Amino acid sequence: MRRLFLSATLVLTAWAAVAGCADRQVAEPGEPPEQLRVEVVATHPHHPGAFTQGLEVDGGELLEGTGLEGRSWLSARPLDTSTVPAVIAPDDRTRVDLDDDLFGEGITVAGDTVWQLTWKDGVALARDRDTLGERRRVDIDGEGWGLCARSDDLVMSDGSSELTFRDPVTFAERGQVTVHRDGRAVSQLNELECAEDGTVYANVWKTDEILRIDPATGRVEAQIDASALRDELPAEDAGAVDVLNGIAQIPGTDRFLVTGKYWPALFEVRFVP
C-alpha cells in the first residue's frame, strides 16, 4: 500500500508541476502592467481565406505569412503609409506558396532576407526580400510560432513563455528570456512585432489580448484588450473567424495593423488607455 501511495503521490506531483508550469512564479511582482485598449483608425479589406501567422510592414509593402499544410503562402503588396489612414493595395505584388508538407508560421525581414518559420517541421526558411523566393533552410529545434526583427537580432516565440534571440544571418540561438506578468510566466506567446521603441508586442494565443514586453527583462509592461475588434467584424462572419493573430507597426507612427485567422478585415489601430 505504501508503494502504491507513493506512486500516486508522484503522479499527482508531476501532474501539478505540468499544470502549473504556465503560471509559475519567475520574478518578484513589480509594477502592474498598463491597461490599454484598441482605437480603430480604419478598416481595410483582408483575405478571408488567410490563416494569418505573420504580418510585417517593410519598405512600403505589407508582407503576410499564412499557415496550414498545403495552404501556406507568403505575399507582399504595396502599402502607402504617408496618409492617415494608410492605403493598402488590393492585390499582391508577389506571392509564393510553401511546399505542401510545410505549415507556415511567423515572418520577419532582416536586411535583404525574409525569414519564415514553420510550425513543427523543424526548419526556418530564408527568402529573398524582393522575389520572396527560397534561398536556404536552417534546422531549428522545437516549434516555430512568432518572429520579429530588432536592430541586431531576431526574436522568436514557440508557444511557451520564452522568447528566443537569434542571429539575423545564421539564425543561431543567442539567448532567451522568460516573459512574466505580476511575477508569473505568461505562456502561449504567438505572433510577434518588434516595435520602434525597442519593446516587443505579442499576441497571446486563443485570446484577444496583446502584450507589450520589455525584451531585456521579459516583464509585461502593458496588456491590450483587443476584443472590441470582433464587434467590428461583419455579423455573418462571426462563426467563421478564428483567433486574433497578426500585428505590425506602421513605421514612424503610433499605429498598428492587426488582424486574425480568417478575418475579412485588417484593422489600423492605436493602443490607448
PDB file of all heavy atoms in Angstrom, residues 13-30 158-164 176-189 217-220:
ATOM      1  N   THR A  13       2.039  14.827  -8.127  1.00  0.00           N
ATOM      2  CA  THR A  13       3.021  15.899  -8.059  1.00  0.00           C
ATOM      3  C   THR A  13       3.483  16.301  -9.446  1.00  0.00           C
ATOM      4  O   THR A  13       3.598  17.481  -9.775  1.00  0.00           O
ATOM      5  CB  THR A  13       4.226  15.467  -7.209  1.00  0.00           C
ATOM      6  OG1 THR A  13       3.781  15.138  -5.900  1.00  0.00           O
ATOM      7  CG2 THR A  13       5.263  16.603  -7.129  1.00  0.00           C
ATOM      8  N   ALA A  14       3.752  15.279 -10.278  1.00  0.00           N
ATOM      9  CA  ALA A  14       4.189  15.567 -11.650  1.00  0.00           C
ATOM     10  C   ALA A  14       3.102  16.278 -12.420  1.00  0.00           C
ATOM     11  O   ALA A  14       3.358  17.231 -13.169  1.00  0.00           O
ATOM     12  CB  ALA A  14       4.567  14.257 -12.358  1.00  0.00           C
ATOM     13  N   TRP A  15       1.844  15.832 -12.253  1.00  0.00           N
ATOM     14  CA  TRP A  15       0.728  16.481 -12.948  1.00  0.00           C
ATOM     15  C   TRP A  15       0.593  17.929 -12.522  1.00  0.00           C
ATOM     16  O   TRP A  15       0.405  18.822 -13.339  1.00  0.00           O
ATOM     17  CB  TRP A  15      -0.564  15.740 -12.655  1.00  0.00           C
ATOM     18  CG  TRP A  15      -1.758  16.401 -13.286  1.00  0.00           C
ATOM     19  CD1 TRP A  15      -2.249  16.205 -14.529  1.00  0.00           C
ATOM     20  CD2 TRP A  15      -2.601  17.400 -12.681  1.00  0.00           C
ATOM     21  NE1 TRP A  15      -3.330  17.013 -14.763  1.00  0.00           N
ATOM     22  CE2 TRP A  15      -3.575  17.752 -13.650  1.00  0.00           C
ATOM     23  CE3 TRP A  15      -2.636  18.028 -11.442  1.00  0.00           C
ATOM     24  CZ2 TRP A  15      -4.562  18.693 -13.390  1.00  0.00           C
ATOM     25  CZ3 TRP A  15      -3.607  18.972 -11.189  1.00  0.00           C
ATOM     26  CH2 TRP A  15      -4.562  19.294 -12.159  1.00  0.00           C
ATOM     27  N   ALA A  16       0.734  18.179 -11.223  1.00  0.00           N
ATOM     28  CA  ALA A  16       0.601  19.541 -10.722  1.00  0.00           C
ATOM     29  C   ALA A  16       1.716  20.429 -11.273  1.00  0.00           C
ATOM     30  O   ALA A  16       1.497  21.591 -11.595  1.00  0.00           O
ATOM     31  CB  ALA A  16       0.643  19.551  -9.184  1.00  0.00           C
ATOM     32  N   ALA A  17       2.912  19.852 -11.396  1.00  0.00           N
ATOM     33  CA  ALA A  17       4.016  20.633 -11.924  1.00  0.00           C
ATOM     34  C   ALA A  17       3.769  21.018 -13.366  1.00  0.00           C
ATOM     35  O   ALA A  17       4.017  22.151 -13.776  1.00  0.00           O
ATOM     36  CB  ALA A  17       5.323  19.835 -11.810  1.00  0.00           C
ATOM     37  N   VAL A  18       3.279  20.063 -14.162  1.00  0.00           N
ATOM     38  CA  VAL A  18       2.984  20.346 -15.553  1.00  0.00           C
ATOM     39  C   VAL A  18       1.843  21.349 -15.677  1.00  0.00           C
ATOM     40  O   VAL A  18       1.892  22.303 -16.444  1.00  0.00           O
ATOM     41  CB  VAL A  18       2.627  19.046 -16.318  1.00  0.00           C
ATOM     42  CG1 VAL A  18       2.119  19.368 -17.720  1.00  0.00           C
ATOM     43  CG2 VAL A  18       3.839  18.141 -16.391  1.00  0.00           C
ATOM     44  N   ALA A  19       0.790  21.127 -14.890  1.00  0.00           N
ATOM     45  CA  ALA A  19      -0.378  22.001 -14.971  1.00  0.00           C
ATOM     46  C   ALA A  19      -0.047  23.416 -14.550  1.00  0.00           C
ATOM     47  O   ALA A  19      -0.605  24.382 -15.060  1.00  0.00           O
ATOM     48  CB  ALA A  19      -1.508  21.445 -14.094  1.00  0.00           C
ATOM     49  N   GLY A  20       0.899  23.559 -13.620  1.00  0.00           N
ATOM     50  CA  GLY A  20       1.191  24.882 -13.099  1.00  0.00           C
ATOM     51  C   GLY A  20       2.358  25.581 -13.744  1.00  0.00           C
ATOM     52  O   GLY A  20       2.659  26.718 -13.417  1.00  0.00           O
ATOM     53  N   CYS A  21       3.025  24.891 -14.704  1.00  0.00           N
ATOM     54  CA  CYS A  21       4.241  25.481 -15.259  1.00  0.00           C
ATOM     55  C   CYS A  21       3.948  26.763 -16.015  1.00  0.00           C
ATOM     56  O   CYS A  21       4.792  27.654 -16.062  1.00  0.00           O
ATOM     57  CB  CYS A  21       4.963  24.474 -16.161  1.00  0.00           C
ATOM     58  SG  CYS A  21       4.054  24.042 -17.661  1.00  0.00           S
ATOM     59  N   ALA A  22       2.767  26.866 -16.630  1.00  0.00           N
ATOM     60  CA  ALA A  22       2.460  28.070 -17.405  1.00  0.00           C
ATOM     61  C   ALA A  22       2.214  29.265 -16.496  1.00  0.00           C
ATOM     62  O   ALA A  22       2.248  30.400 -16.947  1.00  0.00           O
ATOM     63  CB  ALA A  22       1.237  27.825 -18.289  1.00  0.00           C
ATOM     64  N   ASP A  23       1.983  29.008 -15.198  1.00  0.00           N
ATOM     65  CA  ASP A  23       1.688  30.083 -14.264  1.00  0.00           C
ATOM     66  C   ASP A  23       2.740  30.128 -13.155  1.00  0.00           C
ATOM     67  O   ASP A  23       2.496  30.633 -12.078  1.00  0.00           O
ATOM     68  CB  ASP A  23       0.285  29.866 -13.666  1.00  0.00           C
ATOM     69  CG  ASP A  23      -0.224  31.101 -12.945  1.00  0.00           C
ATOM     70  OD1 ASP A  23      -0.012  32.209 -13.458  1.00  0.00           O
ATOM     71  OD2 ASP A  23      -0.810  30.946 -11.862  1.00  0.00           O
ATOM     72  N   ARG A  24       3.936  29.581 -13.437  1.00  0.00           N
ATOM     73  CA  ARG A  24       4.957  29.512 -12.390  1.00  0.00           C
ATOM     74  C   ARG A  24       5.502  30.897 -12.088  1.00  0.00           C
ATOM     75  O   ARG A  24       5.586  31.750 -12.975  1.00  0.00           O
ATOM     76  CB  ARG A  24       6.096  28.582 -12.814  1.00  0.00           C
ATOM     77  CG  ARG A  24       6.940  29.103 -13.962  1.00  0.00           C
ATOM     78  CD  ARG A  24       7.913  28.036 -14.457  1.00  0.00           C
ATOM     79  NE  ARG A  24       8.850  28.569 -15.439  1.00  0.00           N
ATOM     80  CZ  ARG A  24       8.577  28.794 -16.699  1.00  0.00           C
ATOM     81  NH1 ARG A  24       7.365  28.539 -17.154  1.00  0.00           N
ATOM     82  NH2 ARG A  24       9.490  29.269 -17.525  1.00  0.00           N
ATOM     83  N   GLN A  25       5.898  31.112 -10.846  1.00  0.00           N
ATOM     84  CA  GLN A  25       6.467  32.397 -10.468  1.00  0.00           C
ATOM     85  C   GLN A  25       7.924  32.418 -10.903  1.00  0.00           C
ATOM     86  O   GLN A  25       8.701  31.509 -10.600  1.00  0.00           O
ATOM     87  CB  GLN A  25       6.359  32.621  -8.965  1.00  0.00           C
ATOM     88  CG  GLN A  25       6.848  34.001  -8.541  1.00  0.00           C
ATOM     89  CD  GLN A  25       6.384  34.382  -7.157  1.00  0.00           C
ATOM     90  OE1 GLN A  25       5.380  33.877  -6.677  1.00  0.00           O
ATOM     91  NE2 GLN A  25       7.117  35.278  -6.512  1.00  0.00           N
ATOM     92  N   VAL A  26       8.331  33.447 -11.640  1.00  0.00           N
ATOM     93  CA  VAL A  26       9.703  33.540 -12.130  1.00  0.00           C
ATOM     94  C   VAL A  26      10.390  34.822 -11.688  1.00  0.00           C
ATOM     95  O   VAL A  26      11.580  34.989 -11.911  1.00  0.00           O
ATOM     96  CB  VAL A  26       9.734  33.458 -13.675  1.00  0.00           C
ATOM     97  CG1 VAL A  26       9.250  32.105 -14.144  1.00  0.00           C
ATOM     98  CG2 VAL A  26       8.905  34.572 -14.297  1.00  0.00           C
ATOM     99  N   ALA A  27       9.644  35.735 -11.098  1.00  0.00           N
ATOM    100  CA  ALA A  27      10.220  37.001 -10.644  1.00  0.00           C
ATOM    101  C   ALA A  27       9.325  37.588  -9.575  1.00  0.00           C
ATOM    102  O   ALA A  27       8.159  37.198  -9.427  1.00  0.00           O
ATOM    103  CB  ALA A  27      10.355  37.984 -11.810  1.00  0.00           C
ATOM    104  N   GLU A  28       9.888  38.508  -8.823  1.00  0.00           N
ATOM    105  CA  GLU A  28       9.091  39.208  -7.830  1.00  0.00           C
ATOM    106  C   GLU A  28       8.090  40.122  -8.535  1.00  0.00           C
ATOM    107  O   GLU A  28       8.442  40.803  -9.501  1.00  0.00           O
ATOM    108  CB  GLU A  28       9.985  40.039  -6.918  1.00  0.00           C
ATOM    109  CG  GLU A  28      10.836  39.216  -5.970  1.00  0.00           C
ATOM    110  CD  GLU A  28      10.000  38.391  -5.013  1.00  0.00           C
ATOM    111  OE1 GLU A  28       8.958  38.910  -4.531  1.00  0.00           O
ATOM    112  OE2 GLU A  28      10.355  37.239  -4.762  1.00  0.00           O
ATOM    113  N   PRO A  29       6.830  40.119  -8.091  1.00  0.00           N
ATOM    114  CA  PRO A  29       5.845  41.017  -8.718  1.00  0.00           C
ATOM    115  C   PRO A  29       6.303  42.462  -8.632  1.00  0.00           C
ATOM    116  O   PRO A  29       6.779  42.920  -7.602  1.00  0.00           O
ATOM    117  CB  PRO A  29       4.583  40.778  -7.876  1.00  0.00           C
ATOM    118  CG  PRO A  29       4.771  39.423  -7.273  1.00  0.00           C
ATOM    119  CD  PRO A  29       6.248  39.299  -7.022  1.00  0.00           C
ATOM    120  N   GLY A  30       6.183  43.161  -9.766  1.00  0.00           N
ATOM    121  CA  GLY A  30       6.572  44.565  -9.791  1.00  0.00           C
ATOM    122  C   GLY A  30       5.376  45.441 -10.066  1.00  0.00           C
ATOM    123  O   GLY A  30       4.241  45.124  -9.672  1.00  0.00           O
ATOM    124  N   ASP A 158       7.761  30.280 -29.345  1.00  0.00           N
ATOM    125  CA  ASP A 158       7.461  28.886 -29.670  1.00  0.00           C
ATOM    126  C   ASP A 158       6.201  28.391 -28.962  1.00  0.00           C
ATOM    127  O   ASP A 158       5.999  27.188 -28.806  1.00  0.00           O
ATOM    128  CB  ASP A 158       8.641  27.977 -29.330  1.00  0.00           C
ATOM    129  CG  ASP A 158       9.006  28.000 -27.845  1.00  0.00           C
ATOM    130  OD1 ASP A 158       8.291  28.663 -27.055  1.00  0.00           O
ATOM    131  OD2 ASP A 158      10.002  27.356 -27.469  1.00  0.00           O
ATOM    132  N   GLY A 159       5.353  29.314 -28.526  1.00  0.00           N
ATOM    133  CA  GLY A 159       4.129  28.934 -27.829  1.00  0.00           C
ATOM    134  C   GLY A 159       4.284  28.814 -26.327  1.00  0.00           C
ATOM    135  O   GLY A 159       3.296  28.633 -25.614  1.00  0.00           O
ATOM    136  N   SER A 160       5.505  28.932 -25.841  1.00  0.00           N
ATOM    137  CA  SER A 160       5.753  28.862 -24.405  1.00  0.00           C
ATOM    138  C   SER A 160       5.817  30.287 -23.842  1.00  0.00           C
ATOM    139  O   SER A 160       5.338  31.236 -24.462  1.00  0.00           O
ATOM    140  CB  SER A 160       7.079  28.137 -24.145  1.00  0.00           C
ATOM    141  OG  SER A 160       8.176  28.933 -24.570  1.00  0.00           O
ATOM    142  N   SER A 161       6.436  30.441 -22.687  1.00  0.00           N
ATOM    143  CA  SER A 161       6.638  31.776 -22.103  1.00  0.00           C
ATOM    144  C   SER A 161       8.013  32.334 -22.443  1.00  0.00           C
ATOM    145  O   SER A 161       8.372  33.415 -21.970  1.00  0.00           O
ATOM    146  CB  SER A 161       6.483  31.706 -20.581  1.00  0.00           C
ATOM    147  OG  SER A 161       7.415  30.782 -20.028  1.00  0.00           O
ATOM    148  N   GLU A 162       8.777  31.607 -23.268  1.00  0.00           N
ATOM    149  CA  GLU A 162      10.135  32.020 -23.599  1.00  0.00           C
ATOM    150  C   GLU A 162      10.184  32.784 -24.919  1.00  0.00           C
ATOM    151  O   GLU A 162       9.513  32.422 -25.889  1.00  0.00           O
ATOM    152  CB  GLU A 162      11.058  30.796 -23.706  1.00  0.00           C
ATOM    153  CG  GLU A 162      11.071  29.900 -22.479  1.00  0.00           C
ATOM    154  CD  GLU A 162      11.606  30.602 -21.248  1.00  0.00           C
ATOM    155  OE1 GLU A 162      12.591  31.360 -21.393  1.00  0.00           O
ATOM    156  OE2 GLU A 162      11.045  30.410 -20.150  1.00  0.00           O
ATOM    157  N   LEU A 163      10.994  33.828 -24.954  1.00  0.00           N
ATOM    158  CA  LEU A 163      11.382  34.481 -26.191  1.00  0.00           C
ATOM    159  C   LEU A 163      12.842  34.129 -26.443  1.00  0.00           C
ATOM    160  O   LEU A 163      13.677  34.256 -25.542  1.00  0.00           O
ATOM    161  CB  LEU A 163      11.226  36.000 -26.096  1.00  0.00           C
ATOM    162  CG  LEU A 163       9.797  36.545 -25.973  1.00  0.00           C
ATOM    163  CD1 LEU A 163       9.825  38.067 -25.884  1.00  0.00           C
ATOM    164  CD2 LEU A 163       8.923  36.089 -27.132  1.00  0.00           C
ATOM    165  N   THR A 164      13.136  33.685 -27.660  1.00  0.00           N
ATOM    166  CA  THR A 164      14.490  33.281 -28.021  1.00  0.00           C
ATOM    167  C   THR A 164      15.088  34.308 -28.971  1.00  0.00           C
ATOM    168  O   THR A 164      14.435  34.723 -29.936  1.00  0.00           O
ATOM    169  CB  THR A 164      14.486  31.901 -28.697  1.00  0.00           C
ATOM    170  OG1 THR A 164      13.937  30.933 -27.792  1.00  0.00           O
ATOM    171  CG2 THR A 164      15.898  31.478 -29.088  1.00  0.00           C
ATOM    172  N   GLN A 176      17.827  33.599 -24.319  1.00  0.00           N
ATOM    173  CA  GLN A 176      16.391  33.536 -24.063  1.00  0.00           C
ATOM    174  C   GLN A 176      16.021  34.445 -22.905  1.00  0.00           C
ATOM    175  O   GLN A 176      16.864  34.806 -22.086  1.00  0.00           O
ATOM    176  CB  GLN A 176      15.950  32.107 -23.739  1.00  0.00           C
ATOM    177  CG  GLN A 176      15.948  31.143 -24.904  1.00  0.00           C
ATOM    178  CD  GLN A 176      15.350  29.802 -24.508  1.00  0.00           C
ATOM    179  OE1 GLN A 176      15.498  29.343 -23.375  1.00  0.00           O
ATOM    180  NE2 GLN A 176      14.650  29.169 -25.438  1.00  0.00           N
ATOM    181  N   VAL A 177      14.734  34.780 -22.846  1.00  0.00           N
ATOM    182  CA  VAL A 177      14.196  35.492 -21.701  1.00  0.00           C
ATOM    183  C   VAL A 177      12.791  34.951 -21.444  1.00  0.00           C
ATOM    184  O   VAL A 177      12.077  34.596 -22.396  1.00  0.00           O
ATOM    185  CB  VAL A 177      14.162  37.022 -21.940  1.00  0.00           C
ATOM    186  CG1 VAL A 177      13.166  37.395 -23.031  1.00  0.00           C
ATOM    187  CG2 VAL A 177      13.855  37.779 -20.657  1.00  0.00           C
ATOM    188  N   THR A 178      12.417  34.848 -20.180  1.00  0.00           N
ATOM    189  CA  THR A 178      11.082  34.385 -19.806  1.00  0.00           C
ATOM    190  C   THR A 178      10.158  35.591 -19.635  1.00  0.00           C
ATOM    191  O   THR A 178      10.471  36.521 -18.887  1.00  0.00           O
ATOM    192  CB  THR A 178      11.111  33.587 -18.494  1.00  0.00           C
ATOM    193  OG1 THR A 178      11.954  32.447 -18.665  1.00  0.00           O
ATOM    194  CG2 THR A 178       9.708  33.120 -18.111  1.00  0.00           C
ATOM    195  N   VAL A 179       9.042  35.584 -20.333  1.00  0.00           N
ATOM    196  CA  VAL A 179       8.076  36.676 -20.238  1.00  0.00           C
ATOM    197  C   VAL A 179       7.221  36.465 -18.992  1.00  0.00           C
ATOM    198  O   VAL A 179       6.699  35.369 -18.760  1.00  0.00           O
ATOM    199  CB  VAL A 179       7.195  36.731 -21.496  1.00  0.00           C
ATOM    200  CG1 VAL A 179       6.104  37.792 -21.343  1.00  0.00           C
ATOM    201  CG2 VAL A 179       8.055  37.024 -22.719  1.00  0.00           C
ATOM    202  N   HIS A 180       7.087  37.528 -18.201  1.00  0.00           N
ATOM    203  CA  HIS A 180       6.347  37.386 -16.947  1.00  0.00           C
ATOM    204  C   HIS A 180       5.488  38.612 -16.676  1.00  0.00           C
ATOM    205  O   HIS A 180       5.823  39.735 -17.067  1.00  0.00           O
ATOM    206  CB  HIS A 180       7.296  37.139 -15.770  1.00  0.00           C
ATOM    207  CG  HIS A 180       8.350  38.188 -15.606  1.00  0.00           C
ATOM    208  ND1 HIS A 180       8.185  39.308 -14.825  1.00  0.00           N
ATOM    209  CD2 HIS A 180       9.590  38.297 -16.138  1.00  0.00           C
ATOM    210  CE1 HIS A 180       9.269  40.055 -14.859  1.00  0.00           C
ATOM    211  NE2 HIS A 180      10.146  39.476 -15.656  1.00  0.00           N
ATOM    212  N   ARG A 181       4.376  38.354 -16.007  1.00  0.00           N
ATOM    213  CA  ARG A 181       3.424  39.392 -15.616  1.00  0.00           C
ATOM    214  C   ARG A 181       3.084  39.175 -14.157  1.00  0.00           C
ATOM    215  O   ARG A 181       2.720  38.059 -13.759  1.00  0.00           O
ATOM    216  CB  ARG A 181       2.166  39.310 -16.498  1.00  0.00           C
ATOM    217  CG  ARG A 181       1.032  40.213 -16.078  1.00  0.00           C
ATOM    218  CD  ARG A 181      -0.083  40.214 -17.114  1.00  0.00           C
ATOM    219  NE  ARG A 181      -0.487  38.878 -17.522  1.00  0.00           N
ATOM    220  CZ  ARG A 181      -1.265  38.608 -18.570  1.00  0.00           C
ATOM    221  NH1 ARG A 181      -1.724  39.600 -19.317  1.00  0.00           N
ATOM    222  NH2 ARG A 181      -1.583  37.383 -18.876  1.00  0.00           N
ATOM    223  N   ASP A 182       3.212  40.215 -13.371  1.00  0.00           N
ATOM    224  CA  ASP A 182       2.978  40.108 -11.920  1.00  0.00           C
ATOM    225  C   ASP A 182       3.815  38.984 -11.314  1.00  0.00           C
ATOM    226  O   ASP A 182       3.362  38.266 -10.408  1.00  0.00           O
ATOM    227  CB  ASP A 182       1.491  39.881 -11.634  1.00  0.00           C
ATOM    228  CG  ASP A 182       0.628  41.036 -12.101  1.00  0.00           C
ATOM    229  OD1 ASP A 182       1.109  42.181 -12.052  1.00  0.00           O
ATOM    230  OD2 ASP A 182      -0.516  40.794 -12.539  1.00  0.00           O
ATOM    231  N   GLY A 183       5.025  38.795 -11.853  1.00  0.00           N
ATOM    232  CA  GLY A 183       5.941  37.804 -11.308  1.00  0.00           C
ATOM    233  C   GLY A 183       5.744  36.398 -11.814  1.00  0.00           C
ATOM    234  O   GLY A 183       6.520  35.505 -11.470  1.00  0.00           O
ATOM    235  N   ARG A 184       4.735  36.167 -12.663  1.00  0.00           N
ATOM    236  CA  ARG A 184       4.440  34.814 -13.148  1.00  0.00           C
ATOM    237  C   ARG A 184       4.604  34.730 -14.662  1.00  0.00           C
ATOM    238  O   ARG A 184       4.299  35.666 -15.385  1.00  0.00           O
ATOM    239  CB  ARG A 184       3.027  34.395 -12.736  1.00  0.00           C
ATOM    240  CG  ARG A 184       2.869  34.313 -11.222  1.00  0.00           C
ATOM    241  CD  ARG A 184       1.573  33.644 -10.802  1.00  0.00           C
ATOM    242  NE  ARG A 184       1.531  33.444  -9.363  1.00  0.00           N
ATOM    243  CZ  ARG A 184       2.084  32.420  -8.719  1.00  0.00           C
ATOM    244  NH1 ARG A 184       2.717  31.480  -9.410  1.00  0.00           N
ATOM    245  NH2 ARG A 184       2.001  32.325  -7.404  1.00  0.00           N
ATOM    246  N   ALA A 185       5.094  33.572 -15.094  1.00  0.00           N
ATOM    247  CA  ALA A 185       5.347  33.359 -16.515  1.00  0.00           C
ATOM    248  C   ALA A 185       4.053  33.405 -17.314  1.00  0.00           C
ATOM    249  O   ALA A 185       3.011  32.945 -16.852  1.00  0.00           O
ATOM    250  CB  ALA A 185       6.049  32.021 -16.722  1.00  0.00           C
ATOM    251  N   VAL A 186       4.132  33.962 -18.510  1.00  0.00           N
ATOM    252  CA  VAL A 186       2.977  34.054 -19.413  1.00  0.00           C
ATOM    253  C   VAL A 186       3.270  33.186 -20.633  1.00  0.00           C
ATOM    254  O   VAL A 186       4.203  33.469 -21.393  1.00  0.00           O
ATOM    255  CB  VAL A 186       2.721  35.498 -19.871  1.00  0.00           C
ATOM    256  CG1 VAL A 186       1.494  35.555 -20.779  1.00  0.00           C
ATOM    257  CG2 VAL A 186       2.554  36.422 -18.674  1.00  0.00           C
ATOM    258  N   SER A 187       2.483  32.136 -20.833  1.00  0.00           N
ATOM    259  CA  SER A 187       2.720  31.221 -21.947  1.00  0.00           C
ATOM    260  C   SER A 187       1.805  31.547 -23.123  1.00  0.00           C
ATOM    261  O   SER A 187       1.057  32.520 -23.109  1.00  0.00           O
ATOM    262  CB  SER A 187       2.503  29.776 -21.503  1.00  0.00           C
ATOM    263  OG  SER A 187       1.148  29.574 -21.137  1.00  0.00           O
ATOM    264  N   GLN A 188       1.892  30.707 -24.161  1.00  0.00           N
ATOM    265  CA  GLN A 188       1.083  30.838 -25.371  1.00  0.00           C
ATOM    266  C   GLN A 188       1.430  32.100 -26.163  1.00  0.00           C
ATOM    267  O   GLN A 188       0.582  32.656 -26.871  1.00  0.00           O
ATOM    268  CB  GLN A 188      -0.420  30.821 -25.049  1.00  0.00           C
ATOM    269  CG  GLN A 188      -0.875  29.593 -24.259  1.00  0.00           C
ATOM    270  CD  GLN A 188      -0.831  28.318 -25.079  1.00  0.00           C
ATOM    271  OE1 GLN A 188      -1.602  28.134 -26.008  1.00  0.00           O
ATOM    272  NE2 GLN A 188       0.085  27.439 -24.736  1.00  0.00           N
ATOM    273  N   LEU A 189       2.678  32.552 -26.060  1.00  0.00           N
ATOM    274  CA  LEU A 189       3.106  33.715 -26.845  1.00  0.00           C
ATOM    275  C   LEU A 189       3.160  33.309 -28.307  1.00  0.00           C
ATOM    276  O   LEU A 189       3.767  32.302 -28.658  1.00  0.00           O
ATOM    277  CB  LEU A 189       4.475  34.201 -26.370  1.00  0.00           C
ATOM    278  CG  LEU A 189       4.554  34.625 -24.898  1.00  0.00           C
ATOM    279  CD1 LEU A 189       5.986  34.986 -24.543  1.00  0.00           C
ATOM    280  CD2 LEU A 189       3.604  35.776 -24.600  1.00  0.00           C
ATOM    281  N   THR A 217      14.155  42.285 -19.951  1.00  0.00           N
ATOM    282  CA  THR A 217      13.805  41.658 -18.676  1.00  0.00           C
ATOM    283  C   THR A 217      12.698  40.614 -18.795  1.00  0.00           C
ATOM    284  O   THR A 217      12.528  39.785 -17.898  1.00  0.00           O
ATOM    285  CB  THR A 217      13.340  42.722 -17.671  1.00  0.00           C
ATOM    286  OG1 THR A 217      12.133  43.333 -18.163  1.00  0.00           O
ATOM    287  CG2 THR A 217      14.406  43.794 -17.494  1.00  0.00           C
ATOM    288  N   GLY A 218      11.916  40.678 -19.871  1.00  0.00           N
ATOM    289  CA  GLY A 218      10.769  39.790 -20.028  1.00  0.00           C
ATOM    290  C   GLY A 218       9.514  40.299 -19.351  1.00  0.00           C
ATOM    291  O   GLY A 218       8.450  39.666 -19.435  1.00  0.00           O
ATOM    292  N   ARG A 219       9.590  41.461 -18.701  1.00  0.00           N
ATOM    293  CA  ARG A 219       8.421  41.972 -17.975  1.00  0.00           C
ATOM    294  C   ARG A 219       7.361  42.504 -18.943  1.00  0.00           C
ATOM    295  O   ARG A 219       7.677  43.199 -19.910  1.00  0.00           O
ATOM    296  CB  ARG A 219       8.829  43.095 -17.020  1.00  0.00           C
ATOM    297  CG  ARG A 219       7.692  43.558 -16.095  1.00  0.00           C
ATOM    298  CD  ARG A 219       8.150  44.646 -15.151  1.00  0.00           C
ATOM    299  NE  ARG A 219       8.248  45.938 -15.808  1.00  0.00           N
ATOM    300  CZ  ARG A 219       7.206  46.782 -15.947  1.00  0.00           C
ATOM    301  NH1 ARG A 219       6.011  46.450 -15.479  1.00  0.00           N
ATOM    302  NH2 ARG A 219       7.369  47.943 -16.526  1.00  0.00           N
ATOM    303  N   VAL A 220       6.111  42.161 -18.662  1.00  0.00           N
ATOM    304  CA  VAL A 220       4.984  42.694 -19.423  1.00  0.00           C
ATOM    305  C   VAL A 220       4.715  44.111 -18.953  1.00  0.00           C
ATOM    306  O   VAL A 220       4.328  44.331 -17.805  1.00  0.00           O
ATOM    307  CB  VAL A 220       3.722  41.821 -19.263  1.00  0.00           C
ATOM    308  CG1 VAL A 220       2.526  42.478 -19.949  1.00  0.00           C
ATOM    309  CG2 VAL A 220       3.961  40.429 -19.836  1.00  0.00           C
TER     310      VAL A 220
END
